Amino acid sequence: MQDRHLTRRSFLQTISASAILAGKFAPRQQPNIVMVVVDDQGTNDAGCYGNPVIKTPGLDLLAENGTRFTHGFCTTASCSASRSVILSGLYNHANGQYGHMHAFHHFKTFDHVQSLPTLLNRAGYRTVRTGKYHVAPPVCLCV
């Protein structure tokens, strides 16, 4: 399958359009979405990205049958702040999560910001998050 070159913005626009049109589709017609966000993984740390030694059959299969991003850039260090940008589609100054989510910093996403899992859930998707999240508030409609 050919790589589909999507920007973060076009990906979020596609997801938003899907959320708006969700009422017109039966759940079985909606595409499956699996988003994997990792810290400290280089561009050559998986088979689907060209590493001939590291065996990643699960990731390779997802990449072969889905969308593989090849040009991702963080607006901030790979931490709470960058995850808040990925999940909201808004830069930090617009979403409120300026740095590490710790109580003593008082860094958290503004209450009016809706995350991708919340929007997908409203569109009829069953959503779940697992692993490192570290974004506040920890709002995710998981069904």
Side-chain angles (χ1 to χ4, degrees), residues 12 15 96:
L12 291 172
I15 295 303

Side-chain angles (χ1 to χ4, degrees), residues 80 92 95-111 134-137:
S80 304
N92 301 108
N95 75 31
Q97 184 91 39
Y98 297 105
H100 291 301
M101 195 288 299
H102 293 292
F104 56 87
H105 287 307
H106 302 288
F107 289 146
K108 67 177 202 161
T109 305
F110 295 134
D111 292 336
H134 210 217
V135 175

Side-chain angles (χ1 to χ4, degrees), residues 56-109:
T56 54
L59 286 176
D60 297 349
L61 187 60
L62 282 171
E64 181 181 329
N65 293 294
T67 300
R68 185 175 61 92
F69 291 91
T70 58
H71 293 84
F73 302 93
C74 289
T75 57
T76 59
S78 187
C79 66
S80 304
S82 65
R83 280 188 292 283
S84 72
V85 171
I86 293 167
L87 292 172
S88 71
L90 301 170
Y91 290 112
N92 301 108
H93 67 276
N95 75 31
Q97 184 91 39
Y98 297 105
H100 291 301
M101 195 288 299
H102 293 292
F104 56 87
H105 287 307
H106 302 288
F107 289 146
K108 67 177 202 161
T109 305

